[in-house]
Amino acid sequence: MKKRIVIGTSCILIVLAALLVWKAGRNTKLLKDIDVKELSKIEMYYPGDNLTVVTGEENMRKVVALFHSLGVRKTFSDNDDGFVFSIQIYDKDGERIDIITIRSNRIVINDGYYKCAKDYCDDFRKLYEELQM
């Protein structure tokens, strides 16, 4: 009888562990709850350059669309310092709602850590340059 309980419990634990690994490995869509119409501005900072303030619904939509297109999955925190881009998103009331740090292989949004499928720094740099024009 004890053997059956141990085997049953082991099977349940294995299934739960497999579900956890499967869920952690799925891609996540970043900023999925952001409504561009409810934003006042997006600030983008690229080290060594000036701050670019993105306003206008179409330009802010481009920034949010880039985040939607990224292949990322939720991961654990890391102790890496530094960043390639820093992005802050503000709502209509001027309240900062998201602080985003982009590194070569990770994105940090507020307290959430995401591992990138590839290095998206060039994608953000191109958008940054386009929005400066």
Short mmCIF file of all heavy atoms in Angstrom, two decimals, residues 62-104:
data_model
loop_
_atom_site.label_atom_id
_atom_site.label_comp_id
_atom_site.label_asym_id
_atom_site.label_seq_id
_atom_site.Cartn_x
_atom_site.Cartn_y
_atom_site.Cartn_z
N LYS A 62 4.35 52.21 -32.79
CA LYS A 62 5.53 51.52 -33.33
C LYS A 62 6.37 50.90 -32.21
O LYS A 62 6.85 49.78 -32.34
CB LYS A 62 6.39 52.49 -34.14
CG LYS A 62 5.79 52.91 -35.45
CD LYS A 62 6.70 53.90 -36.16
CE LYS A 62 6.08 54.42 -37.43
NZ LYS A 62 6.95 55.42 -38.09
N VAL A 63 6.53 51.65 -31.12
CA VAL A 63 7.31 51.13 -29.99
C VAL A 63 6.61 49.93 -29.37
O VAL A 63 7.23 48.88 -29.14
CB VAL A 63 7.53 52.23 -28.92
CG1 VAL A 63 8.24 51.67 -27.70
CG2 VAL A 63 8.32 53.41 -29.50
N VAL A 64 5.31 50.04 -29.13
CA VAL A 64 4.56 48.94 -28.52
C VAL A 64 4.53 47.74 -29.47
O VAL A 64 4.67 46.59 -29.04
CB VAL A 64 3.13 49.40 -28.14
CG1 VAL A 64 2.28 48.24 -27.68
CG2 VAL A 64 3.20 50.47 -27.04
N ALA A 65 4.40 47.99 -30.77
CA ALA A 65 4.39 46.89 -31.75
C ALA A 65 5.72 46.14 -31.75
O ALA A 65 5.74 44.91 -31.90
CB ALA A 65 4.08 47.44 -33.14
N LEU A 66 6.82 46.85 -31.56
CA LEU A 66 8.11 46.18 -31.48
C LEU A 66 8.15 45.24 -30.29
O LEU A 66 8.60 44.09 -30.40
CB LEU A 66 9.25 47.20 -31.42
CG LEU A 66 10.66 46.61 -31.30
CD1 LEU A 66 10.96 45.64 -32.43
CD2 LEU A 66 11.69 47.72 -31.26
N PHE A 67 7.64 45.69 -29.15
CA PHE A 67 7.59 44.81 -27.98
C PHE A 67 6.70 43.59 -28.24
O PHE A 67 7.02 42.49 -27.82
CB PHE A 67 7.11 45.57 -26.74
CG PHE A 67 8.20 46.33 -26.06
CD1 PHE A 67 8.30 47.70 -26.22
CD2 PHE A 67 9.13 45.69 -25.28
CE1 PHE A 67 9.31 48.42 -25.61
CE2 PHE A 67 10.15 46.39 -24.66
CZ PHE A 67 10.24 47.76 -24.82
N HIS A 68 5.59 43.79 -28.93
CA HIS A 68 4.69 42.68 -29.23
C HIS A 68 5.36 41.65 -30.13
O HIS A 68 5.02 40.47 -30.08
CB HIS A 68 3.41 43.18 -29.89
CG HIS A 68 2.49 43.88 -28.95
ND1 HIS A 68 1.33 44.46 -29.36
CD2 HIS A 68 2.56 44.11 -27.62
CE1 HIS A 68 0.71 45.01 -28.33
NE2 HIS A 68 1.45 44.80 -27.26
N SER A 69 6.29 42.07 -30.97
CA SER A 69 6.91 41.17 -31.93
C SER A 69 8.07 40.36 -31.35
O SER A 69 8.57 39.45 -32.00
CB SER A 69 7.40 41.96 -33.14
OG SER A 69 8.53 42.75 -32.78
N LEU A 70 8.50 40.68 -30.16
CA LEU A 70 9.67 40.01 -29.58
C LEU A 70 9.36 38.59 -29.14
O LEU A 70 8.29 38.32 -28.60
CB LEU A 70 10.19 40.80 -28.37
CG LEU A 70 10.57 42.25 -28.59
CD1 LEU A 70 11.08 42.85 -27.28
CD2 LEU A 70 11.60 42.38 -29.68
N GLY A 71 10.32 37.71 -29.35
CA GLY A 71 10.23 36.35 -28.83
C GLY A 71 10.94 36.29 -27.50
O GLY A 71 12.17 36.26 -27.45
N VAL A 72 10.19 36.29 -26.42
CA VAL A 72 10.77 36.26 -25.07
C VAL A 72 10.03 35.25 -24.22
O VAL A 72 8.89 34.88 -24.52
CB VAL A 72 10.72 37.64 -24.38
CG1 VAL A 72 11.53 38.66 -25.14
CG2 VAL A 72 9.30 38.11 -24.21
N ARG A 73 10.69 34.81 -23.17
CA ARG A 73 10.02 33.96 -22.19
C ARG A 73 10.43 34.42 -20.80
O ARG A 73 11.51 34.94 -20.59
CB ARG A 73 10.33 32.49 -22.40
CG ARG A 73 11.75 32.11 -22.28
CD ARG A 73 11.94 30.62 -22.62
NE ARG A 73 13.33 30.29 -22.73
CZ ARG A 73 14.12 29.99 -21.69
NH1 ARG A 73 13.64 29.98 -20.48
NH2 ARG A 73 15.38 29.71 -21.88
N LYS A 74 9.51 34.27 -19.88
CA LYS A 74 9.74 34.70 -18.50
C LYS A 74 10.87 33.86 -17.91
O LYS A 74 10.98 32.68 -18.18
CB LYS A 74 8.46 34.52 -17.69
CG LYS A 74 8.50 35.20 -16.35
CD LYS A 74 7.23 35.97 -16.15
CE LYS A 74 7.15 36.60 -14.79
NZ LYS A 74 7.93 37.81 -14.67
N THR A 75 11.71 34.51 -17.13
CA THR A 75 12.83 33.82 -16.51
C THR A 75 13.05 34.39 -15.11
O THR A 75 12.29 35.24 -14.65
CB THR A 75 14.10 33.95 -17.39
OG1 THR A 75 15.12 33.13 -16.85
CG2 THR A 75 14.58 35.39 -17.46
N PHE A 76 14.09 33.92 -14.48
CA PHE A 76 14.41 34.40 -13.14
C PHE A 76 15.30 35.63 -13.23
O PHE A 76 15.88 35.92 -14.27
CB PHE A 76 15.12 33.29 -12.36
CG PHE A 76 14.28 32.07 -12.20
CD1 PHE A 76 14.52 30.94 -12.97
CD2 PHE A 76 13.22 32.05 -11.32
CE1 PHE A 76 13.72 29.82 -12.84
CE2 PHE A 76 12.41 30.94 -11.17
CZ PHE A 76 12.67 29.81 -11.94
N SER A 77 15.41 36.35 -12.14
CA SER A 77 16.23 37.55 -12.12
C SER A 77 17.69 37.21 -12.36
O SER A 77 18.13 36.09 -12.15
CB SER A 77 16.06 38.29 -10.80
OG SER A 77 16.64 37.55 -9.77
N ASP A 78 18.41 38.20 -12.80
CA ASP A 78 19.85 38.05 -12.97
C ASP A 78 20.53 39.21 -12.26
O ASP A 78 19.90 40.16 -11.86
CB ASP A 78 20.24 37.99 -14.44
CG ASP A 78 19.80 39.23 -15.20
OD1 ASP A 78 19.39 40.21 -14.57
OD2 ASP A 78 19.87 39.21 -16.43
N ASN A 79 21.81 39.10 -12.11
CA ASN A 79 22.56 40.15 -11.42
C ASN A 79 23.33 41.02 -12.38
O ASN A 79 24.27 41.71 -11.98
CB ASN A 79 23.51 39.51 -10.39
CG ASN A 79 22.73 38.83 -9.28
OD1 ASN A 79 21.66 39.28 -8.92
ND2 ASN A 79 23.27 37.75 -8.76
N ASP A 80 22.96 40.99 -13.66
CA ASP A 80 23.65 41.80 -14.65
C ASP A 80 23.36 43.28 -14.41
O ASP A 80 22.24 43.67 -14.13
CB ASP A 80 23.21 41.44 -16.06
CG ASP A 80 23.70 40.07 -16.48
OD1 ASP A 80 24.60 39.53 -15.80
OD2 ASP A 80 23.20 39.54 -17.48
N ASP A 81 24.40 44.07 -14.55
CA ASP A 81 24.24 45.52 -14.49
C ASP A 81 24.35 46.06 -15.91
O ASP A 81 24.82 45.40 -16.81
CB ASP A 81 25.33 46.15 -13.62
CG ASP A 81 25.10 45.89 -12.15
OD1 ASP A 81 23.93 45.67 -11.78
OD2 ASP A 81 26.07 45.89 -11.38
N GLY A 82 23.94 47.27 -16.07
CA GLY A 82 24.06 47.93 -17.35
C GLY A 82 22.87 47.66 -18.24
O GLY A 82 22.01 46.84 -17.94
N PHE A 83 22.83 48.39 -19.34
CA PHE A 83 21.72 48.25 -20.27
C PHE A 83 22.12 48.83 -21.61
O PHE A 83 23.09 49.56 -21.73
CB PHE A 83 20.47 48.94 -19.74
CG PHE A 83 20.61 50.43 -19.56
CD1 PHE A 83 20.27 51.29 -20.58
CD2 PHE A 83 21.11 50.95 -18.38
CE1 PHE A 83 20.42 52.67 -20.42
CE2 PHE A 83 21.25 52.31 -18.21
CZ PHE A 83 20.91 53.18 -19.23
N VAL A 84 21.37 48.46 -22.63
CA VAL A 84 21.56 49.02 -23.95
C VAL A 84 20.54 50.13 -24.18
O VAL A 84 20.85 51.15 -24.76
CB VAL A 84 21.46 47.93 -25.03
CG1 VAL A 84 21.58 48.51 -26.42
CG2 VAL A 84 22.53 46.86 -24.79
N PHE A 85 19.32 49.90 -23.71
CA PHE A 85 18.26 50.90 -23.80
C PHE A 85 17.52 50.95 -22.48
O PHE A 85 17.37 49.95 -21.79
CB PHE A 85 17.24 50.54 -24.88
CG PHE A 85 17.58 51.03 -26.24
CD1 PHE A 85 18.23 50.21 -27.12
CD2 PHE A 85 17.27 52.32 -26.63
CE1 PHE A 85 18.56 50.65 -28.38
CE2 PHE A 85 17.59 52.77 -27.89
CZ PHE A 85 18.24 51.93 -28.76
N SER A 86 17.02 52.13 -22.16
CA SER A 86 16.11 52.31 -21.04
C SER A 86 14.87 53.00 -21.60
O SER A 86 14.98 54.02 -22.28
CB SER A 86 16.75 53.17 -19.96
OG SER A 86 15.83 53.40 -18.92
N ILE A 87 13.71 52.42 -21.32
CA ILE A 87 12.46 52.95 -21.85
C ILE A 87 11.49 53.12 -20.69
O ILE A 87 11.34 52.22 -19.87
CB ILE A 87 11.87 52.00 -22.92
CG1 ILE A 87 12.85 51.88 -24.09
CG2 ILE A 87 10.51 52.49 -23.39
CD1 ILE A 87 12.46 50.87 -25.13
N GLN A 88 10.84 54.28 -20.65
CA GLN A 88 9.83 54.54 -19.63
C GLN A 88 8.54 54.93 -20.32
O GLN A 88 8.54 55.77 -21.22
CB GLN A 88 10.30 55.62 -18.67
CG GLN A 88 11.56 55.18 -17.93
CD GLN A 88 12.02 56.20 -16.92
OE1 GLN A 88 11.35 57.17 -16.63
NE2 GLN A 88 13.20 55.96 -16.36
N ILE A 89 7.45 54.34 -19.88
CA ILE A 89 6.14 54.57 -20.49
C ILE A 89 5.26 55.31 -19.48
O ILE A 89 5.18 54.91 -18.32
CB ILE A 89 5.49 53.24 -20.91
CG1 ILE A 89 6.41 52.52 -21.92
CG2 ILE A 89 4.11 53.46 -21.50
CD1 ILE A 89 5.93 51.15 -22.33
N TYR A 90 4.59 56.36 -19.97
CA TYR A 90 3.75 57.21 -19.11
C TYR A 90 2.31 57.19 -19.59
O TYR A 90 2.04 57.24 -20.79
CB TYR A 90 4.26 58.65 -19.13
CG TYR A 90 5.63 58.80 -18.51
CD1 TYR A 90 6.78 58.56 -19.26
CD2 TYR A 90 5.78 59.17 -17.18
CE1 TYR A 90 8.04 58.70 -18.70
CE2 TYR A 90 7.03 59.32 -16.62
CZ TYR A 90 8.16 59.07 -17.38
OH TYR A 90 9.41 59.21 -16.82
N ASP A 91 1.38 57.16 -18.63
CA ASP A 91 -0.04 57.20 -18.99
C ASP A 91 -0.49 58.65 -19.20
O ASP A 91 0.30 59.58 -19.09
CB ASP A 91 -0.91 56.48 -17.95
CG ASP A 91 -0.91 57.17 -16.59
OD1 ASP A 91 -0.43 58.31 -16.47
OD2 ASP A 91 -1.42 56.55 -15.64
N LYS A 92 -1.77 58.84 -19.51
CA LYS A 92 -2.32 60.17 -19.81
C LYS A 92 -2.16 61.15 -18.65
O LYS A 92 -2.09 62.35 -18.85
CB LYS A 92 -3.80 60.07 -20.18
CG LYS A 92 -4.06 59.46 -21.51
CD LYS A 92 -3.89 60.47 -22.60
CE LYS A 92 -4.36 59.90 -23.92
NZ LYS A 92 -3.86 60.60 -25.05
N ASP A 93 -2.12 60.62 -17.42
CA ASP A 93 -1.98 61.48 -16.24
C ASP A 93 -0.52 61.83 -15.94
O ASP A 93 -0.24 62.49 -14.94
CB ASP A 93 -2.59 60.79 -15.02
CG ASP A 93 -4.08 60.55 -15.18
OD1 ASP A 93 -4.74 61.38 -15.85
OD2 ASP A 93 -4.58 59.54 -14.65
N GLY A 94 0.39 61.35 -16.78
CA GLY A 94 1.81 61.61 -16.56
C GLY A 94 2.46 60.68 -15.57
O GLY A 94 3.61 60.88 -15.19
N GLU A 95 1.74 59.65 -15.15
CA GLU A 95 2.30 58.67 -14.21
C GLU A 95 3.10 57.62 -14.98
O GLU A 95 2.64 57.10 -15.99
CB GLU A 95 1.18 57.96 -13.44
CG GLU A 95 0.40 58.86 -12.51
CD GLU A 95 1.21 59.30 -11.32
OE1 GLU A 95 1.97 58.50 -10.77
OE2 GLU A 95 1.07 60.48 -10.94
N ARG A 96 4.28 57.31 -14.48
CA ARG A 96 5.10 56.29 -15.11
C ARG A 96 4.48 54.92 -14.79
O ARG A 96 4.27 54.57 -13.65
CB ARG A 96 6.53 56.35 -14.60
CG ARG A 96 7.45 55.39 -15.31
CD ARG A 96 8.89 55.60 -14.93
NE ARG A 96 9.04 55.47 -13.49
CZ ARG A 96 9.97 56.08 -12.79
NH1 ARG A 96 10.83 56.87 -13.37
NH2 ARG A 96 10.07 55.91 -11.50
N ILE A 97 4.20 54.14 -15.85
CA ILE A 97 3.55 52.85 -15.63
C ILE A 97 4.49 51.68 -15.89
O ILE A 97 4.27 50.59 -15.37
CB ILE A 97 2.26 52.70 -16.46
CG1 ILE A 97 2.53 52.92 -17.95
CG2 ILE A 97 1.19 53.62 -15.96
CD1 ILE A 97 1.34 52.65 -18.83
N ASP A 98 5.51 51.88 -16.68
CA ASP A 98 6.47 50.80 -16.95
C ASP A 98 7.87 51.37 -17.06
O ASP A 98 8.08 52.41 -17.69
CB ASP A 98 6.14 50.07 -18.26
CG ASP A 98 4.97 49.11 -18.11
OD1 ASP A 98 4.96 48.35 -17.13
OD2 ASP A 98 4.08 49.13 -18.97
N ILE A 99 8.81 50.66 -16.45
CA ILE A 99 10.23 50.96 -16.60
C ILE A 99 10.84 49.74 -17.25
O ILE A 99 10.76 48.63 -16.71
CB ILE A 99 10.90 51.22 -15.24
CG1 ILE A 99 10.21 52.36 -14.52
CG2 ILE A 99 12.38 51.49 -15.42
CD1 ILE A 99 10.66 52.53 -13.08
N ILE A 100 11.42 49.92 -18.41
CA ILE A 100 11.93 48.80 -19.18
C ILE A 100 13.42 48.98 -19.41
O ILE A 100 13.88 50.04 -19.83
CB ILE A 100 11.21 48.71 -20.55
CG1 ILE A 100 9.70 48.60 -20.31
CG2 ILE A 100 11.74 47.54 -21.36
CD1 ILE A 100 8.87 48.86 -21.52
N THR A 101 14.18 47.94 -19.11
CA THR A 101 15.61 47.93 -19.36
C THR A 101 15.89 46.83 -20.37
O THR A 101 15.47 45.69 -20.18
CB THR A 101 16.38 47.63 -18.05
OG1 THR A 101 15.99 48.60 -17.07
CG2 THR A 101 17.87 47.71 -18.28
N ILE A 102 16.57 47.20 -21.43
CA ILE A 102 16.87 46.23 -22.49
C ILE A 102 18.37 45.97 -22.47
O ILE A 102 19.18 46.88 -22.57
CB ILE A 102 16.42 46.77 -23.86
CG1 ILE A 102 14.92 47.00 -23.82
CG2 ILE A 102 16.82 45.81 -24.97
CD1 ILE A 102 14.37 47.77 -24.95
N ARG A 103 18.69 44.70 -22.33
CA ARG A 103 20.09 44.26 -22.38
C ARG A 103 20.25 43.40 -23.63
O ARG A 103 19.29 43.17 -24.34
CB ARG A 103 20.40 43.45 -21.12
CG ARG A 103 20.21 44.27 -19.86
CD ARG A 103 20.46 43.44 -18.64
NE ARG A 103 20.19 44.25 -17.45
CZ ARG A 103 19.74 43.77 -16.33
NH1 ARG A 103 19.51 42.49 -16.21
NH2 ARG A 103 19.53 44.56 -15.30
N SER A 104 21.42 42.90 -23.86
CA SER A 104 21.66 42.16 -25.09
C SER A 104 20.81 40.89 -25.19
O SER A 104 20.36 40.54 -26.27
CB SER A 104 23.14 41.81 -25.24
OG SER A 104 23.56 41.01 -24.16
#
